[in-house]
């Protein structure tokens, strides 16, 4: 449950539950017409069971497909979706269902936030990243040539429906990248989850269903608690940026190719752990535990040599810049405890060359 007063919503987590969304949707009291937004990759596996479940529950669904890939999370495809929704005569009571990863979730979310000034949104995330991160919290966006996620809105879903069995078809590299956000949530706010991962990460990555349900549940609880405290990211929600300051800089410098988001953030978390220790904020053992877990998830933990240098410092400053050129950098004090430190890009990166 995400506790946001009148905008609260449940997060339902299970295995093999895609076929049961229909009856649950009836409880939401939305209109009979619904739209499902997905892409051809996800559609191939999961469209039919979902459509059948909705049909059996009395819903009439229109399936809208956007091509696969981040490059389609843009205003052209947003306009395409508006057109199709108008054609399908969806109204303000109609729910829009996002069936896919974070790209589909963000694009569909923004569509639902703005179509008819906001219609009910249901998130059905099918990547690990989307299940533990992007489907919860209400951030929606599309990209603009001038920047990623530049056009967006907060629009909380009415329901998040997570079927961990859908991860079975997810490419291995995407499973690994999704693990980054799980390790992040555990490191910043979930010492118990961190211990569970230390004991079982290989089994989680082998997609053991019972374990996955437990891990996804604990993750969503952590994210939901942060969102409930700070829905619009005015303060505390920034802890979720752990590893992301450097991660975003790496993504930017490599032009969003080469590294998946989770891989860049894994490097960023290992870096933040080293920086925290170098500044005397945490024990070496805290740093080492974080890096060890990332490595067990087959994630990268070193800044690629060709990126170290002045341009990386500048890229760090370009991300989430605060007054006086200082970046609000999330450091770690212990597993489950963080501290914001305000640093310039050079102060952040001074450490990368091994000068500390
Ligand atoms: N709104 C938020 O709070 C938030 C948070 C984090 C990230 N994001 C956004 O999420 C996006 C990244 O999401 P992502 O990592 O899920 O990437 P993605 O949506 O591109 O999915 C990754 C790949 O997996 C495929 N796929 C999805 N589900 C599958 C399944 N079950 N089986 C087989 N293939 C499947 C997709 O078609 C795609 O090729 C970015 O645009 C990012 O900005 C948003
Ligand atoms: Zn992230």
């Amino acid at each position: 449950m995400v506790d946001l007063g009148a905008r609260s919503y449940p997060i339902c987590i299970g295995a093999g539950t895609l076929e049961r969304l229909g009856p649950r949707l009836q409880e939401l009291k939305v209109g009979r017409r619904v739209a499902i937004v997905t892409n051809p990759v996800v559609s191939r596996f999961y469209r039919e069971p979902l459509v059948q479940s909705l049909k059996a529950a009395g819903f009439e669904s229109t399936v809208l497909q956007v091509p696969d890939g981040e490059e389609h999370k843009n205003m052209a495809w947003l306009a395409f979706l508006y057109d199709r929704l108008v054609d399908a005569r969806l109204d303000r009571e109609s729910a829009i269902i996002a069936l896919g990863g974070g790209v589909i979730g963000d694009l569909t979310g923004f569509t639902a936030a703005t179509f008819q000034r906001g219609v009910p949104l249901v998130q059905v995330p099918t990547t690990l990243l989307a299940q533990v991160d992007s489907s919860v919290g209400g951030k929606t966006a599309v990209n603009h040539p001038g920047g990623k996620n530049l056009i967006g809105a907060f629009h909380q879903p009415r329901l998040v429906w997570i079927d961990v069995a859908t991860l079975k078809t997810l490419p291995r590299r995407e499973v690994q990248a999704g693990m980054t956000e799980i390790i992040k949530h555990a490191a910043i706010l979930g010492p118990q989850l961190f211990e569970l991962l230390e004991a079982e990460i290989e089994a989680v990555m082998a997609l053991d269903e019972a374990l996955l349900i437990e891990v996804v549940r604990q993750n969503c609880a952590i994210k939901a608690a942060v969102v409930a405290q700070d829905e619009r990211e005015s303060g505390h929600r920034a802890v979720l940026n752990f590893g992301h300051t450097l991660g975003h800089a790496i993504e930017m410098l490599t032009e969003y190719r080469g590294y998946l988001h989770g891989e860049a953030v894994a490097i960023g978390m290992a870096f933040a752990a080293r920086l925290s220790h170098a500044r005397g904020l945490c024990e070496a053992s805290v740093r080492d535990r974080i890096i060890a877990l990332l490595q067990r998830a087959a994630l990268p933990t070193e800044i690629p040599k060709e990126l170290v240098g002045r341009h990386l410092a500048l890229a760090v400053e370009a991300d989430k810049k605060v007054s006086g050129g200082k970046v609000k950098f999330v450091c770690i004090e212990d597993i489950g405890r963080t501290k914001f430190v305000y640093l310039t890009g050079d102060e952040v990166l001074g450490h990368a060359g091994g000068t500390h």
Side-chain angles (χ1 to χ4, degrees):
M1 190 78 187
V2 183
D3 191 2
L4 290 165
R7 278 171 291 103
S8 297
Y9 53 94
I11 304 169
C12 303
I13 305 162
T17 50
L18 199 62
E19 293 85 350
R20 299 214 295 270
L21 181 59
R24 187 65 183 79
L25 201 61
Q26 283 175 329
E27 294 171 30
L28 292 185
K29 308 251 177 292
V30 293
R32 202 174 56 80
R33 286 208 182 104
V34 298
I36 300 169
V37 181
T38 187
N39 73 28
V41 178
V42 178
S43 172
R44 188 159 74 85
F45 298 115
Y46 305 113
R47 166 192 177 141
E48 264 325 292
L50 184 56
V51 168
Q52 287 313 321
S53 162
L54 295 176
K55 193 171 170 198
F59 293 100
E60 189 188 306
S61 43
T62 302
V63 180
L64 307 177
Q65 289 201 37
V66 173
D68 189 22
E70 178 78 33
E71 67 273 28
H72 302 107
K73 197 179 104 175
N74 63 21
M75 287 181 284
W77 285 97
L78 178 68
F80 164 84
L81 291 177
Y82 292 146
D83 290 349
R84 296 289 87 78
L85 293 174
V86 172
D87 289 348
R89 296 200 281 133
L90 260 78
D91 59 35
R92 295 179 67 177
E93 269 69 56
S94 308
I96 305 186
I97 301 172
L99 173 68
V103 166
I104 289 294
D106 276 13
L107 172 65
T108 309
F110 188 62
T111 308
T114 45
F115 184 67
Q116 311 236 6
R117 296 198 189 88
V119 295
L121 168 69
V122 174
Q123 290 280 7
V124 183
T126 62
T127 64
L128 190 55
L129 177 134
Q131 295 188 351
V132 300
D133 191 2
S134 60
S135 67
V136 174
K139 278 207 216 173
T140 74
V142 295
N143 300 324
H144 182 275
K148 224 171 111 59
N149 297 327
L150 216 52
I151 316 294
F154 284 96
H155 185 62
Q156 298 294 342
R158 293 277 295 277
L159 171 70
V160 181
W161 191 259
I162 300 176
D163 180 352
V164 298
T166 59
L167 301 177
K168 294 226 158 67
T169 53
L170 192 64
R172 194 69 198 149
R173 195 173 164 201
E174 298 287 348
V175 174
Q176 289 161 2
M179 274 311 294
T180 297
E181 307 288 353
I182 297 181
I183 296 171
K184 178 192 79 176
H185 287 137
I188 59 174
L189 289 163
Q192 275 183 326
L193 175 60
F194 201 92
E195 281 173 23
L196 174 63
L197 293 173
E198 286 183 316
E200 303 277 11
I201 195 162
E202 285 77 17
V204 177
M205 299 201 43
L207 306 182
D208 174 292
E209 281 185 352
L211 258 177
L212 258 180
I213 289 174
E214 181 54 23
V215 165
V216 172
R217 189 189 66 72
Q218 290 196 34
N219 264 275
C220 290
I222 291 170
K223 175 109 196 235
V226 175
V227 171
Q229 243 188 3
D230 179 17
E231 186 182 1
R232 296 199 167 225
E233 203 169 304
S234 47
H236 177 63
R237 191 163 172 170
V239 298
L240 298 175
N241 281 336
F242 181 58
H244 280 62
T245 305
L246 189 78
H248 284 153
I250 291 173
E251 285 185 287
M252 212 169 93
L253 290 181
T254 52
E255 292 172 354
Y256 301 91
R257 290 189 280 268
Y259 289 99
L260 293 177
H261 173 71
E263 294 166 344
V265 172
I267 297 172
M269 281 203 287
F271 178 80
R274 289 190 188 103
L275 181 113
S276 303
H277 177 254
R279 297 184 75 89
L281 292 169
C282 75
E283 305 277 342
S285 61
V286 172
R287 172 198 65 193
D288 296 346
R289 285 174 72 190
I290 292 173
I291 294 173
L293 208 45
L294 291 168
Q295 288 174 344
R296 282 170 66 189
L299 288 160
T301 53
E302 302 291 336
I303 303 177
K305 285 208 172 42
E306 62 276 16
L307 291 186
V308 179
R310 176 88 193 124
H311 55 306
L312 189 57
L314 289 174
V316 160
E317 283 181 8
D319 184 69
K320 303 268 158 68
K321 196 169 157 172
V322 298
S323 59
K326 295 225 172 186
V327 188
K328 188 173 180 179
F329 197 88
V330 188
C331 281
I332 193 116
E333 292 185 321
D334 199 352
I335 302 299
R337 205 170 74 234
T338 53
K339 183 179 183 168
F340 294 123
V341 180
Y342 294 84
L343 300 169
T344 63
D346 284 329
E347 283 167 337
V348 171
L349 267 304
H351 160 77
T355 46
H356 280 248

